[in-house]
Amino acid sequence: APIADEGFIVPTQVSYVGKGGRLYDVDESVSGSTAVVSRFLGTGYMWDNIRVIGGAYGGFCQFNPRDGVFSFLSYRDPNLAGSIDVYDGAADALLASAADMENDPDALTTAIIGAIADMDGALSPDQKGSAQFKRWLTRESPEQRQKYRDEVLNTTPADFKAFAERLKALKDPSSSVVSSKAAFEDAAKAGKEFTLKNVM
């Protein structure tokens, strides 16, 4: 059975809107290019549509290559239904960006540089220890890390298209929202139905 979309009713004037699903099965190989694409989506499309246009205090997306789950989230968001529509439009936006990158290699290079910057940021001693501990727990080898880095550096517009197609076919998608009763009523009028629970 599909996972139910859940809504948690609290006394608030803003919403916290999450949606996610499985992009890759657990046993599938995940390319480092996914780091480039997911970062590009979060710092471009999500920022523009959730924060700048939508008026939310913040919005981001996140992909976990270990479990294959991709998620969207907004916070202090005045647009419950509108934000879900933005999430649902992300795949088409990526397809358009992939087409643009075919003619604008500088845009692709900028996206790759951003992903590498995230990987190579300076770490405090405790962050280094935490990173090494996680690598030990997951048995991640230097060779695996180098392969992942090479895949990031060799990302192509085709990788953006492949990611977008997976996003269109997101498995077990579901939404979870914290908002007011009035916001859920407005969302229902826009076709966004939730299983509701009063929290306070």
Side-chain angles (χ1 to χ4, degrees):
I3 301 173
D5 293 329
E6 296 181 298
F8 300 91
I9 300 173
V10 300
T12 180
Q13 295 181 335
V14 291
S15 301
Y16 300 80
V17 185
K19 181 173 183 175
R22 189 168 298 284
L23 205 63
Y24 285 79
D25 289 328
V26 174
D27 58 347
E28 281 190 280
S29 175
V30 178
S31 169
S33 65
T34 57
V36 180
V37 182
S38 58
R39 185 185 189 281
F40 175 87
L41 195 59
T43 58
Y45 176 80
M46 288 288 289
W47 175 269
D48 292 343
N49 289 280
I50 296 295
R51 178 153 188 176
V52 178
I53 296 172
Y57 187 78
F60 61 91
C61 57
Q62 181 175 343
F63 175 60
N64 185 335
R66 297 196 189 284
D67 61 18
V69 171
F70 186 85
S71 54
F72 298 96
L73 183 67
S74 70
Y75 54 98
R76 297 192 60 79
D77 186 349
N79 298 304
L80 195 169
S83 289
I84 292 176
D85 288 337
V86 169
Y87 303 163
D88 292 342
D92 287 333
L94 276 181
L95 288 172
S97 294
D100 291 342
M101 286 177 182
E102 295 281 3
N103 301 312
D104 185 7
D106 288 347
L108 177 60
T109 300
T110 299
I112 292 170
I113 290 171
I116 288 291
D118 284 348
M119 294 167 63
D120 287 351
L123 300 178
S124 65
D126 63 311
Q127 289 172 324
K128 289 179 183 178
S130 176
Q132 287 296 98
F133 183 57
K134 288 175 183 175
R135 289 169 184 165
W136 178 78
L137 284 175
T138 58
R139 298 178 181 174
E140 182 182 87
S141 69
E143 292 77 19
Q144 287 173 315
R145 290 199 300 279
Q146 184 61 54
K147 179 178 179 289
Y148 189 83
R149 175 181 289 272
D150 290 343
E151 290 167 347
V152 168
L153 290 169
N154 293 313
T155 299
T156 67
D159 293 315
F160 277 72
K161 291 174 67 176
F163 194 101
E165 293 300 338
R166 282 185 178 268
L167 201 52
K168 276 181 175 288
L170 194 66
K171 298 175 184 176
D172 301 323
S174 65
S175 298
S176 184
V177 178
V178 177
S179 194
S180 65
K181 183 178 180 182
F184 283 117
E185 290 171 349
D186 289 342
K189 293 174 186 175
K192 308 293 190 295
E193 298 281 352
F194 295 86
T195 299
L196 298 177
K197 180 176 182 180
N198 276 294
V199 177
M200 49 190 305

